[in-house]
Amino acid sequence: MAEISGDKYSIISDEATATVTFKGSLRLGGPGEYKPIADLLSDLADQEPEMITLDLSELEFLNSSGISTLSKFVISLRKKRSTQAIILGAKNIPWQGKSLQNLQKLMPGLKLEMVD
């Protein structure tokens, strides 16, 4: 298990289940501040599990730099071809609907599950 946390957010990576859970509100300033998160995602992908789950269902806010970080991660997964991905989102969190569908366009095999 690896964890990255700040005042208003936490990100927990469980390598045993290849699940990364995001909670809170992520408003970091630019790619440099998102690098530890990008590295955590990349390290998990480098292990080439069959399936990676990104649980964003409790992530209330993600700024454009964070969306860019997730987009780059999804593109890197698409290139690997050996690892599939599921993103769990929440229907009641406004930013997730459109933004998470855009990730699906970057990786057509990506499974998107929106929960209530």
Side-chain angles (χ1 to χ4, degrees):
M1 287 257 212
E3 181 172 354
I4 298 171
S5 59
D7 288 345
K8 297 184 177 178
Y9 69 91
S10 71
I11 301 159
I12 299 169
S13 175
D14 183 346
E15 292 179 4
T17 61
T19 299
V20 182
T21 304
F22 293 73
K23 294 182 180 180
S25 181
L26 259 174
R27 300 172 190 264
L28 304 180
E33 289 188 31
Y34 277 97
K35 187 171 182 340
I37 297 167
D39 290 347
L40 180 132
L41 293 170
S42 179
D43 290 348
L44 182 59
D46 287 347
Q47 295 174 25
E48 297 193 6
E50 283 185 35
M51 182 71 68
I52 290 178
T53 302
L54 299 181
D55 184 351
L56 308 177
S57 62
E58 294 182 56
L59 188 61
E60 294 159 20
F61 181 83
L62 183 64
N63 66 8
S64 58
S65 293
I67 291 169
S68 175
T69 299
L70 284 182
S71 297
K72 289 176 184 172
F73 173 67
V74 166
I75 290 168
S76 74
L77 275 185
R78 182 182 71 197
K79 291 176 183 173
K80 285 189 183 295
R81 298 182 189 265
S82 60
T83 301
Q84 295 299 309
I86 296 176
I87 294 182
L88 305 176
K91 292 178 185 172
N92 64 336
I93 300 177
W95 74 269
Q96 292 191 2
K98 186 169 184 165
S99 296
L100 297 183
Q101 285 176 355
N102 287 339
L103 293 177
Q104 210 168 19
K105 291 175 187 171
L106 296 174
M107 183 179 174
L110 178 79
K111 189 172 179 189
L112 180 58
E113 293 182 9
M114 301 299 281
V115 296
D116 289 328

